Amino acid sequence: MKVVIAIDSFKGSLSSLEVGTAIKKGILKAIPLADVTIIPLADGGEGTIEAFTYHNDAKLVNIFSVDAYQNKLLSQYAIYNNVAIIEVAKTIGLPLVKNALNPLRATSYGVGIQINDALNKGIKNFVVGLGGSATNDAGLGMLSALRYKFYDQKNQLVEPLPSNLKMIFKIDDSDVNPLLKEANFEIASDVKNPLTGPNGATFVYGRQKGVKPTFEQDLDDSILHFANVASNYLGYDCKDEPGSGAAGGLGFAFKAFLKANIKEGIYLILDKIHFKDIVKDADIVITGEGRLDKQTVNGKAPIGVAKIAKSLGKKVILLAGGIDDELDSYNSYGIDAYFSIIRNITTLENALNKHNAFNNISKTSEQIFNLIKTMKGDN
């Protein structure tokens, strides 16, 4: 029996690889001769680099960059098949911010440093995962790192911070890294929000980055002002296109200034790692995430895995920490059976404990495959 495990992280508890390792332990306890392959999974957020590098001949590149508050840090990206894989969460991610959140000073500058480094190494193709950023600057910082310059009405250079977006009236690209002209960017994003408005970056995701409710409208207006200036400068408008609001508007900067293609993160990544080839001879595919709910079926990683696996005629099992009864059934999304790994009444703190979560996942997997073994007569 061949089993492929392609499961997302259980956020706040275990990484994708750790979850996969726990499942594998349970499977092999039930069926010692099973052929089990783990594929770390991501949809553009946490774990994107690992998803590319775990089974592939990829080179990890460590360089000094800056976090969202311009503190120096050792950042990492990967090069795989002459493509630079950048995971913005590893540079400007929320978990890296240790000080009090200040969204008016949080900048995407560090991502631009990584892009420049890859360009100077001769890389022309990029895959960028946008999930998990701490920024809400519409990509102003990244563009500044790429040497775009921004001026106010008095032709004074504007410091590229979110607090200054409303001051920008002129954009200058005369000093931009010339290597950008030949660069191609594919963006992995799990959100489809426009840049501004009630469904935009600020109103939907701003509060988790420190945006106060009383300042949401002002910041959204400032971003809209910048987007309009950019549209006049570039000759086209993409602020309302799906994904422009990803990563605090970083999606907009990539699409508008760098002509990037924004794609559903999970399908982009599964395509790049040749997921179909990996599962073509599998008997069972296991996927899942920390919580199964309506958001899961709206383009999240497990549904992407399930759809592709089902198209190849595979049986799909989903494991989750918790399951919401928001839908009558999740089976119509390519999932043959789904299970919660919670084995007794407990607190959220105990459920998220790494040791407890690993044990619960392993034991649940063991019992599922004990049943499969009984039904199939495998060993």
Side-chain angles (χ1 to χ4, degrees):
M1 175 186 293
K2 180 173 181 179
V3 182
V4 172
I5 303 168
I7 194 163
D8 207 348
S9 63
F10 281 29
K11 290 181 174 58
S13 182
L14 298 174
S15 70
S16 172
L17 181 57
E18 289 170 330
V19 177
T21 301
I23 295 170
K24 181 175 181 177
K25 180 181 178 181
I27 293 172
L28 293 180
K29 193 166 183 180
I31 306 176
L33 298 181
D35 178 2
V36 182
T37 299
I38 301 172
I39 303 174
L41 193 63
D43 54 16
E46 174 190 350
T48 296
I49 288 178
E50 188 174 56
F52 276 93
T53 59
Y54 188 71
H55 282 292
N56 301 300
D57 183 20
K59 174 186 176 183
L60 291 174
V61 180
N62 295 300
I63 64 167
F64 282 105
S65 185
V66 292
D67 68 14
Y69 292 100
Q70 302 188 66
N71 300 304
K72 189 175 182 180
L73 87 162
L74 186 63
S75 68
Q76 185 180 79
Y77 68 93
I79 297 176
Y80 167 61
N81 282 351
N82 292 316
V83 177
I85 315 299
I86 294 176
E87 179 182 329
V88 304
K90 282 189 173 294
T91 302
I92 57 168
L94 272 171
L96 300 176
V97 179
K98 297 179 181 179
N99 301 321
L101 297 177
N102 183 352
L104 295 184
R105 297 200 63 81
T107 171
S108 55
Y109 193 93
V111 176
I113 292 176
Q114 291 183 312
I115 293 172
N116 276 327
D117 187 78
L119 288 171
N120 293 334
K121 286 181 168 62
I123 301 299
K124 296 181 180 180
N125 296 303
F126 293 78
V127 171
V128 184
L130 292 190
S133 84
T135 58
N136 203 88
D137 72 343
L140 186 66
M142 177 192 74
L143 295 171
S144 179
L146 296 174
R147 302 202 295 270
Y148 281 91
K149 295 178 181 177
F150 305 92
Y151 295 89
D152 63 16
Q153 283 182 306
K154 297 181 179 180
N155 213 34
Q156 298 295 309
L157 193 64
V158 174
E159 186 179 7
L161 293 173
S163 56
N164 296 331
L165 282 164
K166 59 187 175 184
M167 298 170 58
I168 295 172
F169 280 84
K170 177 185 174 184
I171 301 171
D172 178 9
D173 66 356
S174 60
D175 192 39
V176 167
N177 190 333
L179 297 174
L180 276 175
K181 292 180 180 179
E182 299 181 9
N184 174 65
F185 292 87
E186 292 183 281
I187 305 303
S189 174
D190 66 346
V191 303
K192 300 178 182 179
N193 305 77
L195 178 62
T196 60
N199 295 316
T202 302
F203 281 101
V204 177
Y205 304 107
R207 293 190 187 184
Q208 69 191 47
K209 303 175 184 185
V211 179
K212 303 296 183 186
T214 54
F215 195 71
E216 285 174 331
Q217 189 63 59
D218 286 341
L219 183 53
D220 190 64
D221 289 343
S222 295
I223 292 175
L224 177 59
H225 167 80
F226 171 67
N228 288 334
V229 172
S231 297
N232 290 332
Y233 160 74
L234 296 166
Y236 56 89
D237 183 2
C238 65
K239 66 179 181 297
D240 294 325
E241 293 187 17
S244 289
L250 197 53
F252 168 79
F254 271 109
K255 193 168 187 65
F257 288 83
L258 305 183
K259 298 181 173 59
N261 292 314
I262 300 179
K263 301 180 179 180
E264 276 194 81
I266 185 58
Y267 294 107
L268 173 59
I269 291 173
L270 290 176
D271 177 62
K272 294 294 184 183
I273 67 173
H274 306 294
F275 179 71
K276 286 185 177 181
D277 292 336
I278 297 172
V279 301
K280 64 183 179 182
D281 58 349
D283 298 295
I284 296 173
V285 174
I286 300 180
T287 189
E289 62 178 351
R291 188 166 193 82
L292 178 61
D293 55 24
K294 280 185 177 179
Q295 289 189 357
T296 304
V297 302
N298 288 324
K300 291 292 187 178
I303 298 302
V305 170
K307 285 183 177 179
I308 292 175
K310 247 326 159 200
S311 73
L312 298 173
K314 308 305 175 183
K315 299 298 183 184
V316 180
I317 296 172
L318 184 145
L319 298 179
I323 298 174
D324 282 352
D325 291 328
E326 296 178 297
L327 299 178
D328 291 337
S329 174
Y330 295 91
N331 299 108
S332 60
Y333 295 91
I335 301 164
D336 291 293
Y338 53 93
F339 303 87
S340 169
I341 57 96
I342 302 300
R343 301 172 65 243
N344 49 45
I345 297 173
T346 187
T347 64
L348 178 61
E349 181 181 4
N350 284 335
L352 293 176
N353 176 272
K354 291 177 76 73
H355 172 78
N356 294 341
F358 190 98
N359 186 60
N360 286 337
I361 293 167
S362 179
K363 288 188 177 298
T364 301
S365 302
E366 179 185 353
Q367 294 310 310
I368 290 171
F369 278 82
N370 273 334
L371 176 60
I372 291 172
K373 176 178 65 176
T374 300
M375 299 294 292
K376 294 176 66 69
D378 289 345
N379 54 49

